[in-house]
């Protein structure tokens, strides 16, 4: 369905769809950004919704389903990577940016996607995950008197099982080792640090006009929006594009350093900080998504054309690496190295 319509002086007309951003990015920028947008905006949300529909429907109707717990675990794993809410905010900013040179109108596809994002937010807030896990396979009602292993995903205690055995409810490994997760997190952060230079020094959006080519970095986009009277949106871009990524990066470096140089003081504060950073890590993706959505809206070749700039891909990779680092980092490592039990 059409996302937005744009016109230039009522002489040239363009219709954009959200899926058209994938092809535009693929041809104009680099394929990791294109496929990343496709996965985060379409495939992962669709897979997550499918898994939840299958699990909830079979539970409601009492139908047996093989590996039901594994499906629900996968839907929870996809939660951080499903970005319908991020796409909606990026679309609103892209609308304001595209409305500067062109007349833009919102179509039915955009409203449908907004409805999906709202339903996802309501569903996540209302979902009782503990009740779902218990309905899939009930927890033990009494503490076992013999050796037991536990699952750190669905929090099930299983007697007479060894560490590394599959969880009978969600399929994850029981008593998973947390130490091997430290090196991938360090590697992701180490790879993200040098990406800061091209991400913020290169243009994330390029506007090719008759009068010349305008290249805007993240900070330049903030200045451009403020000069055109959209300073509120400029603040959103500044916070999401600069403040949040640097905060998450600095926070991760701090948490990883505290694993290498443990200290019992402040363990609770650092654990709470991890939870906050885990929630914030996905929101900087608003900035590359703005470029992805705005590109097919203003696509009047030779007259006025917006394309994702060379800085969009490093910024996308930077944020994706920070998300991956937050996902694999295990805060219990800070407690273990400090000699405390989490």
């Amino acid at each position: 369905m059409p996302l937005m319509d744009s016109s230039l002086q009522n002489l040239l007309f363009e219709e954009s769809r959200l899926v058209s951003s994938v092809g535009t990015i693929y041809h104009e920028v680099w394929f990791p950004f294109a496929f990343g947008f496709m996965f985060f905006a379409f495939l992962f949300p669709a897979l997550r919704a499918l898994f939840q529909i299958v699990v909830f429907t079979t539970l409601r109707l009492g139908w047996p389903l093989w590996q039901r717990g594994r499906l629900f675990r996968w839907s929870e794993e996809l939660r951080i990577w499903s970005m319908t809410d991020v796409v909606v905010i990026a679309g609103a900013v892209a609308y304001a940016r595209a409305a500067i040179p062109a007349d833009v109108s919102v179509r039915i596809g955009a409203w449908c996607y907004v409805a999906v994002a709202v339903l996802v937010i309501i569903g996540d807030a209302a979902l009782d995950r503990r009740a779902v896990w218990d309905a899939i396979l009930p927890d033990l009602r009494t503490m076992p008197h013999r050796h037991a292993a536990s699952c750190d995903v669905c929090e099930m205690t299983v007697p007479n099982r060894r560490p590394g055995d599959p969880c009978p409810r969600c399929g994850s490994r029981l008593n998973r080792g947390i130490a091997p997760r430290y090196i991938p997190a360090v590697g992701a952060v180490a790879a993200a640090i040098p990406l800061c230079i091209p991400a913020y020094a290169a243009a994330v959006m390029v506007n090719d006009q008759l009068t010349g080519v305008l290249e805007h970095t993240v900070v330049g986009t903030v200045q451009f929006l403020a000069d055109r009277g959209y300073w509120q949106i400029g603040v959103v871009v500044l916070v999401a594009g600069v403040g949040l990524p640097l905060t998450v990066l600095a926070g991760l470096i701090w948490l990883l350093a505290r694993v290498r140089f443990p200290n019992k003081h402040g363990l609770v504060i650092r654990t709470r900080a991890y939870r906050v950073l885990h929630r914030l890590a996905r929101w900087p993706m608003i900035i590359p998504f703005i470029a992805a959505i705005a590109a097919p809206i203003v696509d009047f070749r030779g007259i006025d054309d917006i394309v994702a700039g060379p800085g969009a891909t490093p910024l996308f990779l930077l944020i994706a690496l920070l998300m991956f680092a937050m996902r694999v980092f295990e805060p219990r490592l800070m407690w273990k190295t400090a000699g405390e039990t989490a």
Side-chain angles (χ1 to χ4, degrees), residues 4 21 35 40 63 68 102 112 143 160-161 166 171 177 193 198 224 237 288 294 296 306 310:
M4 296 184 195
S21 297
F35 285 111
F40 294 157
W63 294 347
R68 179 160 40 205
C112 289
M143 290 296 295
N160 295 328
R161 292 289 183 94
I193 291 174
F224 178 80
V237 174
I306 293 178

Side-chain angles (χ1 to χ4, degrees), residues 46-68:
L47 283 176
R48 183 168 185 250
L50 176 63
F51 292 154
Q52 289 184 336
I53 290 172
V54 170
V55 171
F56 298 157
T57 301
T58 55
L59 283 176
R60 180 66 176 175
L61 299 178
W63 294 347
L65 179 65
W66 182 67
Q67 299 289 356
R68 179 160 40 205

Side-chain angles (χ1 to χ4, degrees), residues 44-236:
F44 287 159
L47 283 176
R48 183 168 185 250
L50 176 63
F51 292 154
Q52 289 184 336
I53 290 172
V54 170
V55 171
F56 298 157
T57 301
T58 55
L59 283 176
R60 180 66 176 175
L61 299 178
W63 294 347
L65 179 65
W66 182 67
Q67 299 289 356
R68 179 160 40 205
R70 194 181 296 267
L71 291 179
F72 187 64
R73 173 168 67 88
W74 289 344
S75 73
E76 289 297 285
E77 292 283 353
L78 289 173
R79 186 180 181 186
I80 190 176
W81 306 103
S82 302
M83 300 189 179
T84 51
D85 45 359
V86 177
V87 173
V88 167
I89 296 178
V93 179
Y95 169 83
R97 173 62 182 87
I100 294 174
D103 296 322
V104 183
S105 58
V106 181
R107 298 291 301 277
I108 184 64
W111 295 117
C112 289
Y113 199 92
V114 170
V116 169
V118 171
L119 290 175
V120 169
I121 293 173
I122 295 174
D124 281 340
L127 180 61
D128 186 350
R129 291 167 176 81
R130 187 76 261 145
V132 175
W133 285 124
D134 199 53
I136 293 173
L137 187 64
D139 291 311
L140 294 176
R141 301 306 178 191
T142 58
M143 290 296 295
H145 298 289
R146 49 193 181 276
H147 172 74
S150 61
C151 176
D152 61 354
V153 176
C154 66
E155 300 177 353
M156 186 177 195
T157 302
V158 187
N160 295 328
R161 292 289 183 94
R162 295 176 300 176
D165 288 348
C167 173
R169 181 159 64 183
C170 72
S172 181
R173 287 181 299 164
L174 298 173
N175 288 359
R176 290 189 303 175
I178 57 177
R181 306 181 70 171
Y182 179 73
I183 296 301
V186 171
V189 171
I193 291 174
L195 287 173
C196 293
I197 298 175
Y200 292 106
V204 293
M205 278 193 291
V206 178
N207 193 185
D208 187 2
Q209 301 177 335
L210 281 174
T211 56
V213 177
L214 304 177
E215 297 184 351
H216 300 292
T217 61
V218 175
V219 177
T221 302
V222 175
Q223 183 63 50
F224 178 80
L225 290 169
D227 291 343
R228 297 302 190 278
Y230 294 97
W231 63 268
Q232 302 93 334
I233 298 177
V235 171
V236 173

Side-chain angles (χ1 to χ4, degrees), residues 187-330:
V189 171
I193 291 174
L195 287 173
C196 293
I197 298 175
Y200 292 106
V204 293
M205 278 193 291
V206 178
N207 193 185
D208 187 2
Q209 301 177 335
L210 281 174
T211 56
V213 177
L214 304 177
E215 297 184 351
H216 300 292
T217 61
V218 175
V219 177
T221 302
V222 175
Q223 183 63 50
F224 178 80
L225 290 169
D227 291 343
R228 297 302 190 278
Y230 294 97
W231 63 268
Q232 302 93 334
I233 298 177
V235 171
V236 173
V237 174
L238 181 63
V239 172
V242 180
L244 291 184
L246 298 183
T247 299
V248 173
L249 180 60
L252 269 170
I253 294 173
W254 174 48
L255 296 179
L256 292 170
R258 278 308 184 182
V259 174
R260 183 65 180 84
F261 305 100
N263 189 344
K264 292 184 179 181
H265 179 69
L267 280 172
V268 174
I269 294 176
R270 292 197 294 274
T271 304
R272 291 175 178 172
Y274 164 80
R275 293 175 180 172
V276 173
L277 294 174
H278 191 275
R279 291 181 176 273
L280 294 178
R282 61 202 298 270
W283 289 102
M285 201 63 81
I286 289 174
I287 307 305
F289 284 2
I290 293 171
I293 298 172
I297 299 175
V298 182
D299 190 15
F300 306 106
R301 299 295 176 88
I303 300 177
D304 202 338
D305 186 19
I306 293 178
V307 298
T313 298
L315 182 60
F316 171 81
L317 294 176
L318 166 66
I319 299 166
L321 285 170
L322 292 179
M323 291 175 59
F324 175 77
M326 289 302 308
R327 181 65 190 86
V328 299
F329 177 72
E330 178 55 65

